[in-house]
Amino acid sequence: MLTTTTIDAAVRAALEEDAPWGDITGEVFVPADARADAQLRAREDGVLSGGEVFARAFTLTDPGIDVAVHLGEGETFAAGQVLATVSGPARGVLRAERIALNFTQRMSGIATLTRAFVDAVDGRTRIADTRKTTPGLRAFEKHAVVCGGGSSHRFGLSDAVMVKDNHLGVLAGAGADVTAALMAARERLGHTTMIEVEVDRLDQIPAVLDGGADIIMLDNFSLEDLRRGVTLIGDQAIVEASGNVTLETVAAIADTGVDVISSGALTHSVRAIDLGLDLVVDGAAGEADSRSDGSTEGLADGSAAGGADGTADGSTEGLTDAWSRAAAD
């Protein structure tokens, strides 16, 4: 789902968007031969997703940058833990840092939220995503769901037949019979293609079952009606529940006996996890640290020789003469 080709295309586009004519701050302020070491550090607990994407942001910017990711996809981390290290030409590190963080923070946020949903149902049902993803980034966000222990629903419209309420509305307006339409669709499809039908009332289920649907989605059903739907469908089709699924409600929905719970919130309402890139620059007079995260928090560590202040944020502003000292070594 998330291939190197997909990663490179999206990361290149993001880098181009961020610096279409170059990073003027780095080019006029940072010595060309300056080097930097950096650590990707967690500011809170979470689940990692996007390690390869993080690395490619740097190596596509400058092949001379070395990146080591210390955790695998889907592994948990704790606040304060170092997740990856970066070393190479300072201009490239600073140019790529915001893009690398943007991808990894969002993907890890999705993985972390998904893991919370998965833990809440405790193996009683499968947690799945939806097509409610950021345009152009579906492969990244669905990959993150899988990293969190969830399952990917169909990737797109080409993967499976999914008859939703508007499709049923069109059929009704044309005076067509749902059962007959489903049977006719089955005749036109390959034997490996699944048919899912979304219903929002119990009385719609029998016609869908008669049409041979493989999956029936019970959309925005009450808990009582979910139980009734599960009983009515039995083992004739996979039962999926969707609509108003939150961390507070997902356990009760799982208790109804549905096979799958899908939630758009996994991707469209997620909060990016708080990760920061801590830069460490070695100079003859001492060491200067700077932190870059979503809040552009800065840490300055003054040395006995006079101190060097530094902040690195999304605009790569605020280096100090520590860079000059480093370049001269």
Side-chain angles (χ1 to χ4, degrees), residues 304-320:
D309 296 334
T311 54
D313 60 15
S315 60
T316 66
E317 294 177 359
L319 288 175
T320 71

Side-chain angles (χ1 to χ4, degrees), residues 35-42 48 50-59 62-73 75 81-88 93 100 104 276-278:
R35 296 184 63 81
D37 295 318
Q39 296 177 330
L40 176 65
R41 190 179 296 273
L48 181 67
E52 182 180 357
V53 186
F54 176 84
R56 289 301 284 162
F58 290 101
T59 56
D62 189 331
I65 299 175
D66 294 318
V67 181
V69 180
H70 305 315
L71 272 70
E73 297 288 89
E75 290 191 40
Q81 186 172 347
V82 174
L83 311 181
T85 53
V86 181
S87 180
V93 171
T104 313
L277 191 70
D278 296 352

Side-chain angles (χ1 to χ4, degrees), residues 226-251:
L226 282 175
R227 294 187 185 92
R228 291 176 178 172
V230 168
T231 299
L232 182 60
I233 296 167
D235 59 1
Q236 298 176 79
I238 295 170
V239 184
E240 177 180 339
S242 191
N244 295 318
V245 180
T246 68
L247 269 177
E248 291 71 32
T249 64
V250 70

Side-chain angles (χ1 to χ4, degrees), residues 203-233:
D203 61 14
Q204 295 175 305
I205 294 176
V208 173
L209 284 174
D210 290 343
D214 301 292
I215 308 163
I216 300 178
M217 176 193 287
L218 310 181
D219 187 44
N220 286 304
F221 275 45
S222 67
L223 293 176
E224 181 180 354
D225 280 350
L226 282 175
R227 294 187 185 92
R228 291 176 178 172
V230 168
T231 299
L232 182 60
I233 296 167

Side-chain angles (χ1 to χ4, degrees), residues 116-141:
F117 273 75
V118 170
D119 289 346
V121 302
D122 194 25
R124 286 168 291 171
T125 188
R126 176 177 294 190
I127 298 296
D129 56 24
T130 71
R131 287 167 47 241
K132 296 176 182 178
T133 56
T134 306
L137 298 179
R138 180 169 294 172
F140 295 81
E141 296 180 352

Side-chain angles (χ1 to χ4, degrees), residues 15 20 73 85 150 167 197 288:
L15 290 167
E73 297 288 89
T85 53
H167 296 100
V197 182

